[in-house]
Amino acid sequence: MKALLNRLRRDRRASVAILTAGILTGAAGLTALSVDLGNIARAQRQLQNTADLAALAGAANIANGTAISVATTYSAVANDKNAGSGVTATMATGYPQLKCFTSTGVPCGGSSAANAIVVQQKATVQLYFAPLFGINTASIAATSTAGSGGGKPNALDVMLVLDTTQSMNSSDNQCSISHATREDCALAGVRSLIQGFWPSQDHVGLMVFPGVKQGQTQTGTRGRGRGGTGTGSQTPPEALEYDCSSSPQSTIAAYDESPIYEIVPLSSDYKTSDTTTTLNTASNLVKAARGGGSGCSQGLDAIGGVGTYYADAITAAQTELTTNGRSGVQKVIILLSDGDASSSDISSSKRYDQCQAAVNAATTATNAGTWVYSIAYGASTSSSGSCSTDTPHISACNAMKNIASDSTKFYSDNSGGTGGCNSDNSASELVDIFNHVGSSVTMPRLLPNGTT
């Protein structure tokens, strides 16, 4: 008996079998667990990707008031554009949410006064092996935050068209610059706008109306604080608007005298690099916008003298973009005016329907693919008190509204007329409006969740 027991003690074949069975069972369990965990990870990535897409799509449509519906359309919920197999997704209660963050440097705009959107999706993932242990599904969630602008800018050729008629000499008490005239505020807006552009991507030019007179320069009526008698210099007349000198001065041209509207052609020297936060004071564009630094603050001024007519300036801007713009680059016109075209210093063939003529010129540019932005600055809402040459009557406010390529590109301040020329993009301060425009031409970007 003793010998038999010793043999059984020394025989380990059954122990090996039991141990092997245990190892195989554990390995099978781990394999099953890894399959389910991998499936959950895959579903999580898919849900996060679709949340990002939905947030970016919504952010791109904040200005036109459709951000919520667009973000929902691009979600992973069944029958939406990014619905996927293997994941049953729902939008979390209360989402998408519009936000106005103060830390992103992008103004809040549109009818919702927002600059960002937050999307949160939830999903249930079906498990393959966990049901053996009584676990059939896993719940996952993904949150994504996107800003309406501030990302990489689109490559743009931009022509600014500024009103420099006499009305721009009136004061603007709502401007962020103390004691500013309307022209002061407009040029501050231009400086703020181009400061946000990338010179490697964006070329910017400047036109004004009324334009300057062609030919030999002479003493005239244009220039900020420019005295003297003039010298008849051969300097191109448009260059006198940024030469940092008090004399000679350029001369205003009547609209039927083939005026020069272009002060600065499309250029990219307004900043020395994409990342710098200051303007290049040696740039003609910066100097024209009175940002040329100490001793160079003349720039443009609103002397006027020939009334308001801007249809030809819009046409000239489109011609410049078409002729000298880069191939394959989006063309943009940004027009600022009170919109009340009613000049008598113009040929008889253009004397009537002056506001409608500007709308027609802008429509031609839009049809050619140009984005036309209009900024109504103190535009009258009265059809009987503005655009007096037009039949049927049209208000200056509606003229500016119709000039914009679409409603998302129409901006206005809250002054002028009766109650102001309001738009979905209205604001009380002009520099803020220029910042809104700058943000609208940049791409949406993802932001860290929890941005404030």
Side-chain angles (χ1 to χ4, degrees):
M1 178 61 68
K2 184 178 181 179
L4 176 61
L5 291 175
N6 286 333
R7 286 198 302 271
L8 290 175
R9 180 172 58 82
R10 292 193 298 268
D11 189 350
R12 302 181 180 276
R13 287 175 293 180
S15 299
V16 172
I18 294 172
L19 180 60
T20 300
I23 292 174
L24 291 176
T25 300
L30 289 173
T31 301
L33 179 62
S34 65
V35 169
D36 281 337
L37 289 177
N39 187 44
I40 292 172
R42 176 198 61 79
Q44 181 68 51
R45 287 194 302 271
Q46 179 180 334
L47 193 67
Q48 186 63 59
N49 288 340
T50 57
D52 291 345
L53 291 171
L56 287 169
N61 289 274
I62 287 175
N64 63 26
T66 63
I68 296 293
S69 60
V70 170
T72 301
T73 299
Y74 280 84
S75 75
V77 177
N79 299 319
D80 286 340
K81 292 183 179 296
N82 287 305
S85 60
V87 177
T88 303
T90 59
M91 189 67 71
T93 302
Y95 291 88
Q97 291 180 357
L98 290 173
K99 299 287 187 178
C100 180
F101 296 138
T102 59
S103 62
T104 63
V106 177
C108 297
S111 58
S112 58
N115 64 1
I117 188 170
V118 181
V119 171
Q120 187 177 98
Q121 300 181 137
K122 296 182 177 180
T124 300
V125 182
Q126 187 67 44
L127 303 178
Y128 297 106
F129 295 99
L132 297 173
F133 306 97
I135 304 174
N136 296 317
T137 60
S139 297
I140 58 175
T143 302
S144 183
T145 304
S148 59
K152 182 179 178 180
N154 297 294
L156 305 171
D157 285 335
V158 181
M159 187 56 66
L160 303 168
V161 183
L162 299 186
D163 189 333
T164 55
T165 58
Q166 183 66 38
S167 63
M168 294 292 286
N169 277 328
S170 60
S171 62
D172 183 350
N173 296 327
Q174 297 187 71
C175 184
S176 56
I177 300 173
S178 299
H179 309 295
T181 67
R182 290 154 60 84
E183 194 73 10
D184 292 335
C185 206
L187 294 177
V190 169
R191 295 194 299 271
S192 183
L193 175 73
I194 60 178
Q195 191 167 347
F197 282 156
W198 288 15
S200 68
Q201 297 281 330
D202 308 315
H203 292 184
V204 186
L206 174 65
M207 291 189 175
V208 298
F209 63 91
V212 299
K213 197 165 188 176
Q214 298 191 53
Q216 187 177 32
T217 58
Q218 55 188 297
T219 301
T221 58
R222 195 180 190 95
R224 181 176 175 81
R226 294 177 181 178
T229 60
T231 62
S233 166
Q234 294 296 323
T235 302
E238 64 272 20
L240 300 178
E241 303 303 324
Y242 54 77
D243 66 353
C244 302
S245 176
S246 60
S247 62
Q249 301 173 340
S250 57
T251 304
I252 294 297
Y255 294 107
D256 58 357
E257 295 180 333
S258 300
I260 298 173
Y261 293 109
E262 183 177 273
I263 301 302
V264 181
L266 290 169
S267 58
S268 60
D269 64 350
Y270 51 89
K271 293 200 307 185
T272 55
S273 72
D274 292 340
T275 57
T276 185
T277 58
T278 58
L279 296 175
N280 175 19
T281 57
S283 163
N284 292 337
L285 177 61
V286 174
K287 288 188 285 187
R290 301 185 196 157
S294 177
C296 185
S297 58
Q298 285 86 7
L300 297 177
D301 206 1
I303 299 301
V306 291
T308 300
Y309 179 80
Y310 51 93
D312 286 352
I314 295 173
T315 299
Q318 177 63 17
T319 300
E320 168 67 11
L321 291 170
T322 302
T323 304
N324 296 318
R326 295 165 292 170
S327 177
V329 171
Q330 178 63 52
K331 308 299 187 290
V332 180
I333 294 173
I334 301 174
L335 168 73
L336 179 142
S337 177
D338 65 7
D340 188 9
S342 54
S343 176
S344 59
D345 296 285
I346 195 168
S347 61
S348 58
S349 63
K350 297 181 179 180
R351 190 162 296 170
Y352 300 99
D353 298 326
Q354 294 182 30
C355 287
Q356 186 60 49
V359 173
N360 294 343
T363 299
T364 298
T366 295
N367 291 339
T370 298
W371 293 345
V372 181
Y373 286 78
S374 68
I375 302 174
Y377 192 22
S380 174
T381 59
S382 171
S383 58
S384 61
S386 57
C387 294
S388 59
T389 69
D390 280 70
T391 304
H393 291 301
I394 181 175
S395 70
C397 173
N398 282 332
M400 293 297 289
K401 184 179 299 184
N402 294 335
I403 281 170
S405 294
D406 57 66
S407 62
T408 69
K409 296 177 177 61
F410 172 53
Y411 292 76
S412 67
D413 68 339
N414 292 329
S415 63
T418 54
C421 181
N422 293 321
S423 73
D424 288 343
N425 302 311
S426 61
S428 61
E429 205 272 326
L430 187 61
V431 177
D432 188 37
I433 289 178
F434 273 99
N435 289 335
H436 277 70
V437 174
S439 296
S440 75
V441 297
T442 60
M443 297 179 182
R445 57 171 172 160
L446 292 174
L447 300 170
N449 293 326
T451 298
T452 59

